[in-house]
Amino acid sequence: MAEEKSFPMTADGKAKLEQELEDLRLVRRPEVINRIKIARSYGDLSENSEYESAKDEQAFVEGRISQIETMLQYAVIIDNEDVATDEVSMGREITFQELPDEEPESYTIVGESESDPLSGKISNESPMAKGLLGHKVGDTVEIEIPNGSMKVKILSVK
């Protein structure tokens, strides 16, 4: 039997997914059902773009509900209690500097379900996070990225 994938995430990330699931179930799903009912009342469904649009949105909403339910069912909350405070691990904010002289950058390493690089959250599955995980403040790390490699120095871990 295939092993189920786990979804590592922070407690905050799990709470956000639970909120999104509640919104999808209690707000978006009923809205879409209502749109379908209205569109059906227009008659011939074969040329009814409102109906097609509503059915497409319904498929998206139901797919996202299913996806979130699976992620929550197999969620693994990140626990850093046994990890040294200066060690890079999931759920922590890492500040590093690309060598030789780039500006420092800060990111929080989260599970892929929470990833949002524009908000400073990178997936633990990303090349950058994989290269940093397990290293400590002061370490210089060579990270393999899709277009080569880069050297970074870890400045802080929060």
Side-chain angles (χ1 to χ4, degrees), residues 37-55:
K37 284 181 188 175
I38 292 169
R40 276 190 177 154
S41 72
Y42 296 153
D44 185 10
L45 298 181
S46 66
E47 295 182 21
N48 188 328
S49 63
E50 289 88 357
Y51 179 77
E52 289 300 319
S53 173
K55 290 298 284 182

Side-chain angles (χ1 to χ4, degrees), residues 9-10 18 38 43 54 56 65 72 89 94 97 104 109 122 124 139 146 155-156:
M9 61 184 71
T10 63
E18 289 169 338
I38 292 169
D56 288 346
I65 287 172
L72 291 173
S89 63
I94 316 312
Q97 178 181 22
I109 299 176
I122 60 172
N124 64 311
D139 287 357
L155 303 176
S156 71

Side-chain angles (χ1 to χ4, degrees), residues 39-88:
R40 276 190 177 154
S41 72
Y42 296 153
D44 185 10
L45 298 181
S46 66
E47 295 182 21
N48 188 328
S49 63
E50 289 88 357
Y51 179 77
E52 289 300 319
S53 173
K55 290 298 284 182
D56 288 346
E57 186 175 350
Q58 181 184 39
F60 171 79
V61 168
E62 295 303 324
R64 182 66 179 151
I65 287 172
S66 177
Q67 181 184 36
I68 292 173
E69 287 173 339
T70 299
M71 288 190 289
L72 291 173
Q73 180 179 359
Y74 297 103
V76 176
I77 302 302
I78 300 162
D79 178 17
N80 287 322
E81 291 297 314
D82 299 331
V83 180
T85 57
D86 67 341
E87 184 176 330
V88 177

